Amino acid sequence: MKNIQILFGAAIIALGFTSCKDEKQENAQKKIDSYVAYVDSVKNVAADDLKADWKAVDAEYDRRAAEAEAALADLKDNTAATEKINTSKTKYEEFKNEMTTVFAPPAPSPKQQLRNALFGEGKIGDDMNFDWVNAKNIHSVYQQFVHTVEDNKDKYSREDWDEVKLMYEALDSRKNTVEKEGLTAEDNRKIAGLKIKFAPMYTVNRMGAKSEENKDAKK
């Protein structure tokens, strides 16, 4: 945060270098120079510091940019000032796009992408914690799982099917606990139907995926 405070202060340095004829024009020029100086200062801050305070940095940019744009009306000849503002605006937008890429979280692994598809974004991580599955939602969890597998069965590799089986067994294990916590007979019946649908789909398609991989290996 200290670096960000220095950043905010750095732009103020520009305020001492204006020489306009009247106070209104002088203040307008100060706001424009302050905006330009701020954009230049942002680029000198370490990415880690920017990430920690990016919302504050971006909000301050918006404030200074709005002031600079409004100040143009107070200049008799604002051609040069307009060009300065546009140049800084382009510079900042390019830098912001660059930082957005830097700040973006890493893409999830293929295994995590598969888990996200089966259960929902971020529901199951490396800890394989199924505590969020309860008597009220377990039927819908099975539904999403089985329907997702059905929709993608022709795309899964053998390794994908192994992961699907691992997740299915973990969900079944959670069901054993949930059955003692108020799972209704109706939901239990519906889940049984989904399990009957999943079993042959898994067996046939995993065998098919393995056969395809063996063919590719021979080629």
Side-chain angles (χ1 to χ4, degrees), residues 131-194:
D131 289 351
W132 56 277
V133 179
N134 53 51
K136 291 183 178 180
N137 66 16
I138 191 168
H139 172 233
S140 64
V141 174
Y142 267 97
Q143 272 188 315
Q144 177 171 337
F145 186 98
V146 174
H147 291 166
T148 299
V149 172
E150 185 177 28
D151 290 343
N152 294 278
K153 63 181 185 295
D154 296 329
K155 304 174 186 176
Y156 288 155
S157 65
R158 182 169 57 86
E159 287 78 10
D160 290 334
W161 280 112
D162 290 344
E163 179 67 17
V164 166
K165 183 67 181 304
L166 178 66
M167 292 296 101
Y168 181 76
E169 290 174 345
L171 180 58
D172 268 356
S173 178
R174 178 61 181 169
K175 179 178 178 291
N176 293 334
T177 300
V178 168
E179 281 182 321
K180 304 170 187 175
E181 299 176 347
L183 180 62
T184 66
E186 177 66 10
D187 280 347
N188 209 353
R189 183 185 65 76
K190 290 177 180 177
I191 290 171
L194 290 167

Side-chain angles (χ1 to χ4, degrees), residues 32-47:
I32 292 168
D33 289 345
S34 176
Y35 165 71
V36 171
Y38 181 79
V39 172
D40 291 337
S41 299
V42 166
K43 300 186 70 174
N44 293 323
V45 178

